Amino acid sequence: MSAVMDNVLNKPAEPASESSPMKADTREDVKSRVTTVAKPSAAKRSFRPFLLAVLPPVFGLALLVLVWEIVAAKNSGFPSPMMTLQEAIIVFSDPFYQKGPNDQGIGWNLLLSLQRVATGFGLAALVGIPLGFMIGRFKFLAGMFNPIISLLKPVSPLAWLPIGLLVFKAANPAAIWAIFICSIWPMIINTAVGVQRVPQDYMNVAKVLNLSEWKIVTKILFPSVLPYMLTGVRLAIGTAWLVIVAAEMLTGGVGIGFWVWDEWNNLNVPHIIIAIVVIGVVGLLLEQGLVALARAFTYEEVRS
């Protein structure tokens, strides 16, 4: 009996015949079935990030329009989305018309506001970034300027507007002054923090190599501080764009802020909503442009 069992157990398995339902699959058959099953899965995986990137903003905008429509339905003086869209088509059909110094298209008002922001922001960068390097590099200067920055930074930028009007005797330089004073603080603080966080090992190597101050700034400090500096620049441009609208409302003249106030005086609410959307889009484009600049000029870990 044991001999029979040994023969059965030790007998090699016979390969499946061609006619057998348990026919062994070839490598090509298995590969084709796996590919057939994997293709829809891979396509689904590649399409999912697109949906996750597109659907949330679409649903968010749809919700905003829905709330807007409900508010307009309950308030007869508030324009509906369709009415605002019709007015926007009219406004942007001729954005650069001129009918006098105080009656110009939205394009001219927007360009003048951007010009003021660029001037004030550029002056703030020229002063704030070098000052931030010096404050972060030298403890004496940090001790001298830190109380001044702590005192003046919390002050609203619009509180400086009367000082600008008193000193410059004109609305345009006063608005530029307000942009300058609100933009300079983020640049100074972020640049100084970046300099102070440079690893001490780098500075020790600079001392060993007896590098000049210029080489320390250009070869060691600047590459390390660049991410902090660009963060300060990005924060400053957002604040500057916020302030210019309010400053132009108070000073008058030409600008997107004055355009909003003038349309309010004319009780033209659709134009006010159009200006709000334009201000938001321009601010978003400015910030995204600086984010792209930061990604282009910083290290790989900072980009992520």
Side-chain angles (χ1 to χ4, degrees):
M1 183 69 180
S2 61
V4 174
M5 291 298 296
D6 291 339
N7 291 333
V8 172
L9 292 176
N10 296 326
K11 183 179 181 181
E14 295 181 0
S17 62
E18 293 293 332
S19 60
S20 173
M22 300 295 292
K23 173 182 158 181
D25 291 331
T26 63
R27 183 177 299 179
E28 288 75 12
D29 294 334
V30 175
K31 184 177 180 182
S32 63
R33 285 208 298 272
V34 171
T35 306
T36 305
V37 174
K39 278 185 179 178
S41 178
K44 185 177 179 180
R45 286 197 301 269
S46 63
F47 193 63
R48 186 176 180 183
F50 174 77
L51 292 178
L52 292 176
V54 172
L55 288 182
V58 170
F59 281 121
L61 292 175
L63 178 62
L64 176 62
V65 174
L66 178 61
V67 173
W68 183 359
E69 187 67 43
I70 293 173
V71 173
K74 293 183 178 296
N75 189 342
S76 59
F78 200 84
S80 66
M82 184 56 65
M83 182 187 303
T84 306
L85 178 61
Q86 293 172 353
E87 288 292 328
I89 293 173
I90 296 173
V91 168
F92 290 107
S93 64
D94 188 14
F96 293 101
Y97 76 86
Q98 284 186 325
K99 297 181 181 178
N102 294 326
D103 186 9
Q104 300 184 26
I106 190 173
W108 293 117
N109 288 278
L110 185 61
L111 287 177
L112 188 56
S113 296
L114 288 172
Q115 180 182 350
R116 288 170 177 158
V117 169
T119 303
F121 180 81
L123 292 173
L126 289 176
V127 176
I129 292 175
L131 186 59
F133 268 99
M134 291 188 291
I135 291 174
R137 183 79 177 90
F138 304 107
K139 290 184 178 180
F140 179 81
L141 293 178
M144 185 172 66
F145 281 100
N146 282 340
I148 300 175
I149 296 173
S150 300
L151 177 66
L152 299 181
K153 181 180 176 292
V155 178
S156 171
L158 295 181
W160 295 97
L161 190 60
I163 303 298
L165 291 171
L166 178 65
V167 173
F168 299 107
K169 310 293 184 183
N172 190 54
I176 294 174
W177 157 254
I179 296 299
F180 170 84
I181 203 67
C182 78
S183 301
I184 195 171
W185 308 125
M187 297 186 191
I188 293 176
I189 294 173
N190 281 273
T191 304
V193 169
V195 173
Q196 292 169 355
R197 291 187 179 180
V198 172
Q200 188 60 39
D201 293 341
Y202 294 179
M203 307 308 298
N204 293 336
V205 171
K207 290 180 180 178
V208 170
L209 297 177
N210 197 21
L211 297 181
S212 64
E213 189 64 30
W214 174 252
K215 285 190 176 181
I216 291 176
V217 171
T218 56
K219 301 297 184 181
I220 298 177
L221 294 182
F222 185 77
S224 301
V225 175
L226 188 58
Y228 296 90
M229 186 178 69
L230 291 176
T231 299
V233 169
R234 183 166 58 87
L235 294 174
I237 195 64
T239 306
W241 187 241
L242 287 173
V243 170
I244 191 59
V245 176
E248 289 173 346
M249 285 183 178
L250 296 176
T251 57
V254 181
I256 192 66
F258 171 75
W259 196 78
V260 171
W261 192 250
D262 189 54
E263 296 302 323
W264 166 249
N265 291 330
N266 296 328
L267 297 178
N268 197 338
V269 182
H271 285 192
I272 297 175
I273 297 176
I274 293 169
I276 290 173
V277 174
V278 170
I279 292 168
V281 170
V282 172
L284 178 63
L285 292 176
L286 290 174
E287 183 175 0
Q288 291 301 315
L290 289 174
V291 168
L293 183 66
R295 289 176 178 173
F297 287 95
T298 51
Y299 298 111
E300 191 67 29
E301 61 269 17
V302 176
R303 297 182 189 180
S304 59

